[in-house]
Amino acid sequence: VCQQDSSTTARVLRNSGKTSSRGPAIKLPQGWWDHVNCWPHAAVGDVVSQPCPGFLHTTGQVFRNCTELGWTDPYPPHDIACEYGFNESLPLERYFLFVRIMYSVGYSVSLVFLITAVAILSLLRRLHCTRNFIHVQLFLSFIFRAVLIFIRDAVLFSNEDSFHCHIYTVSCKFATVLSNYCIMANYSWLLAEGYYLYKLVSASLFSQRKHLSWYIILGWGSPVIIMSGWSFAKYLHEDEGCWEMRRSEWIWWILRLPVLLFIIVNLLFFLCILKILVAKLRTQDMPGNEFNHYRKLAKSSFLLVSLFGLHYILFAFLPHKVRGRTYEIWNFIELAFASTQGFVVALLYCFLNGEVQNEIQRRWRRWKMKHRVQLEHRRKCSSMSQSGGGPTNITLLFKSASTPESGLV
């Protein structure tokens, strides 16, 4: 585990501040994770020290010897050197495990509801329209986001040695880029929702099919441009970790500014929509049913934009300024809300949609009626066969009645 050739050891000795029997201890870009510390590769005979975990607020150190058989047991033991009982799970480790389980459950629930919503809007032909097409694209952006979260976790946590010893692969960074792309797509498709509703309410002559390609460009194309600029900036100026670090604020403004613009423009759209709806209601220029339909749709979209906008403004700026217990609570709330956003979207735009509910009820009534007719037909057939008037007799009777000459023979 700890062996290295002498030339590699000599190169890395100058880059470490740890003490060893041959001078500074070794610091390589990979190592071995023992669930408490990351132990770098070392040459046989080296003595390497590691400090106690920072959250324990102690200055103790733990040592290991590198032998031909590998690392020795730590001395002094962790519970003595760090003044903590390591027989139990570390509090920070328990916290992150709990948070990971929590947001995994949230994304799983969202995934189930989103896939079901996409299936409903895609399979029921009466629900095929531009508005529901935009809904489906919004659902897909949340589905991709949830799937990429699971892929990113699989990449990060597939190897504890790599994760805890700060070894970050290209696949890890690529998963972060795609995850951020899906978040951008969430807000861009919300903007497409707002723009579509505004044009639908304000314009009397509005070609929905003509504008369909523009919605696709806005929803899926604009995040590509934004993420390309952000990725180049990260690669050139902040190529650290899995690209989740926020040391250079100006790089993160490449993501923040477009999202804030999406939110502000969407809010302006909905203010205009409310103004137009109120004006048309006063002039009685819109039927009551149509007005209620637009009002409910505007209410759902406005609620989503308000919730998501408030969530983004709060959690995009404040988390990096808080520490300790406050950060743990803040991080838990952020991940809980983010993981259930897809569930909220599917609920408002599909499962609580009156048009969708009416179509599902109509299909259900049709299926029940068809099933009842089939049962009654089977009962009649069985009763006729028992009474002797089976299918053969019915066929003969039909033939005799349809042949005029049969009565003259």
Coordinates of all heavy atoms in Angstrom, one line a residue, residues 31-39 93 96 156-157 159-168:
G31 N -3.5 8.3 -2.5 CA -3.2 7.8 -1.2 C -4.2 6.7 -0.8 O -4.9 6.1 -1.6
W32 N -4.2 6.5 0.5 CA -5.1 5.4 1.1 C -5.9 6.0 2.2 O -5.4 6.7 3.1 CB -4.2 4.3 1.6 CG -5.0 3.3 2.5 CD1 -6.1 2.5 2.0 CD2 -4.8 3.0 3.8 NE1 -6.5 1.8 3.1 CE2 -5.7 2.0 4.2 CE3 -3.9 3.4 4.8 CZ2 -5.8 1.5 5.5 CZ3 -3.9 2.9 6.1 CH2 -4.9 1.9 6.4
W33 N -7.2 5.8 2.1 CA -8.2 6.4 3.1 C -8.5 5.4 4.1 O -9.0 4.3 3.8 CB -9.5 6.9 2.3 CG -10.6 7.3 3.2 CD1 -11.8 6.7 3.4 CD2 -10.6 8.5 4.0 NE1 -12.5 7.4 4.3 CE2 -11.9 8.6 4.6 CE3 -9.7 9.6 4.2 CZ2 -12.2 9.6 5.5 CZ3 -10.1 10.6 5.0 CH2 -11.3 10.6 5.7
D34 N -8.3 5.7 5.4 CA -8.6 4.7 6.5 C -9.8 5.1 7.3 O -10.0 4.8 8.5 CB -7.4 4.6 7.4 CG -7.1 5.9 8.2 OD1 -7.7 6.9 7.9 OD2 -6.3 5.9 9.1
H35 N -10.7 5.9 6.7 CA -12.0 6.4 7.3 C -11.8 7.5 8.2 O -12.8 8.0 8.8 CB -12.8 5.3 7.9 CG -13.1 4.2 7.0 ND1 -14.1 4.3 6.0 CD2 -12.6 2.9 6.9 CE1 -14.2 3.1 5.4 NE2 -13.3 2.3 5.9
V36 N -10.5 8.0 8.4 CA -10.2 9.1 9.3 C -9.3 10.1 8.6 O -9.6 11.3 8.5 CB -9.6 8.7 10.6 CG1 -9.3 10.0 11.5 CG2 -10.5 7.8 11.4
N37 N -8.2 9.6 8.0 CA -7.2 10.4 7.3 C -6.9 9.8 6.0 O -7.1 8.6 5.7 CB -5.9 10.5 8.2 CG -6.1 11.3 9.4 OD1 -6.1 10.8 10.5 ND2 -6.3 12.6 9.3
C38 N -6.3 10.6 5.1 CA -5.8 10.2 3.8 C -4.2 10.0 4.0 O -3.5 11.0 4.3 CB -6.1 11.2 2.7 SG -5.4 10.7 1.1
W39 N -3.7 8.8 3.8 CA -2.3 8.5 4.0 C -1.7 8.5 2.6 O -2.0 7.6 1.8 CB -2.1 7.2 4.7 CG -2.6 7.3 6.1 CD1 -3.9 7.0 6.5 CD2 -1.9 7.7 7.3 NE1 -4.0 7.2 7.9 CE2 -2.8 7.7 8.4 CE3 -0.6 8.2 7.5 CZ2 -2.4 8.0 9.7 CZ3 -0.2 8.5 8.8 CH2 -1.2 8.5 9.8
E93 N -19.3 12.6 9.4 CA -19.5 11.5 8.5 C -21.0 11.1 8.6 O -21.6 10.8 7.5 CB -18.6 10.3 8.9 CG -18.7 9.1 7.9 CD -17.8 8.0 8.3 OE1 -16.9 8.2 9.1 OE2 -17.9 6.9 7.7
F96 N -23.1 13.8 6.7 CA -23.1 13.8 5.2 C -23.8 12.5 4.7 O -24.4 12.5 3.6 CB -21.7 13.8 4.7 CG -21.1 15.2 4.7 CD1 -20.0 15.5 5.5 CD2 -21.6 16.2 4.0 CE1 -19.5 16.8 5.6 CE2 -21.1 17.5 4.0 CZ -20.0 17.8 4.8
L156 N -18.2 10.1 -7.8 CA -17.5 10.6 -6.7 C -17.2 9.6 -5.6 O -16.1 9.5 -5.1 CB -18.2 11.8 -6.1 CG -18.1 13.1 -6.8 CD1 -19.1 14.1 -6.1 CD2 -16.7 13.6 -6.8
F157 N -18.2 8.8 -5.3 CA -18.2 7.8 -4.2 C -17.8 6.4 -4.6 O -17.9 5.5 -3.8 CB -19.5 7.8 -3.4 CG -19.8 9.2 -2.9 CD1 -20.9 9.9 -3.4 CD2 -19.1 9.7 -1.8 CE1 -21.2 11.1 -2.9 CE2 -19.4 11.0 -1.3 CZ -20.5 11.7 -1.9
N159 N -14.9 5.3 -5.4 CA -13.6 5.0 -4.8 C -13.4 6.0 -3.6 O -13.1 7.1 -3.9 CB -12.5 5.1 -5.8 CG -11.2 4.5 -5.3 OD1 -10.9 4.5 -4.1 ND2 -10.4 4.0 -6.2
E160 N -13.5 5.5 -2.4 CA -13.3 6.4 -1.3 C -11.8 6.9 -1.2 O -11.6 8.1 -0.8 CB -13.6 5.6 0.0 CG -15.1 5.4 0.3 CD -15.3 5.0 1.7 OE1 -14.4 4.6 2.4 OE2 -16.5 5.1 2.2
D161 N -10.8 6.1 -1.6 CA -9.5 6.6 -1.6 C -9.3 7.8 -2.5 O -8.7 8.8 -2.2 CB -8.5 5.5 -2.1 CG -8.4 4.4 -1.1 OD1 -8.9 4.5 0.0 OD2 -7.9 3.3 -1.5
S162 N -10.0 7.8 -3.7 CA -9.9 8.9 -4.7 C -10.6 10.1 -4.1 O -10.1 11.2 -4.2 CB -10.5 8.5 -6.0 OG -9.7 7.4 -6.6
F163 N -11.8 9.9 -3.6 CA -12.7 11.0 -3.1 C -12.0 11.7 -2.0 O -11.9 12.9 -2.0 CB -14.0 10.5 -2.8 CG -14.9 11.5 -2.2 CD1 -15.4 12.5 -3.0 CD2 -15.3 11.5 -0.9 CE1 -16.3 13.5 -2.5 CE2 -16.1 12.5 -0.3 CZ -16.6 13.5 -1.2
H164 N -11.6 11.0 -0.9 CA -11.1 11.6 0.3 C -9.7 12.1 0.1 O -9.2 13.0 0.8 CB -11.2 10.7 1.5 CG -12.6 10.4 1.9 ND1 -13.4 11.3 2.6 CD2 -13.4 9.3 1.7 CE1 -14.6 10.8 2.8 NE2 -14.6 9.6 2.3
C165 N -8.9 11.5 -0.9 CA -7.6 11.9 -1.1 C -7.4 13.0 -2.2 O -6.3 13.1 -2.8 CB -6.7 10.7 -1.4 SG -6.6 9.6 0.0
H166 N -8.6 13.5 -2.6 CA -8.6 14.7 -3.6 C -8.0 14.3 -4.9 O -7.2 15.0 -5.5 CB -7.8 15.9 -3.0 CG -8.3 16.3 -1.6 ND1 -9.5 16.8 -1.4 CD2 -7.7 16.2 -0.4 CE1 -9.6 17.0 -0.1 NE2 -8.6 16.7 0.5
I167 N -8.5 13.1 -5.4 CA -8.2 12.7 -6.8 C -9.4 12.9 -7.6 O -10.4 12.2 -7.4 CB -7.7 11.3 -6.8 CG1 -6.5 11.1 -5.9 CG2 -7.3 10.9 -8.3 CD1 -6.1 9.6 -5.7
Y168 N -9.4 13.8 -8.5 CA -10.6 14.2 -9.3 C -10.4 13.9 -10.8 O -9.5 14.5 -11.4 CB -11.0 15.6 -9.1 CG -11.3 15.9 -7.6 CD1 -10.4 16.6 -6.8 CD2 -12.5 15.5 -7.0 CE1 -10.6 16.9 -5.5 CE2 -12.7 15.8 -5.7 CZ -11.8 16.5 -4.9 OH -12.0 16.7 -3.6

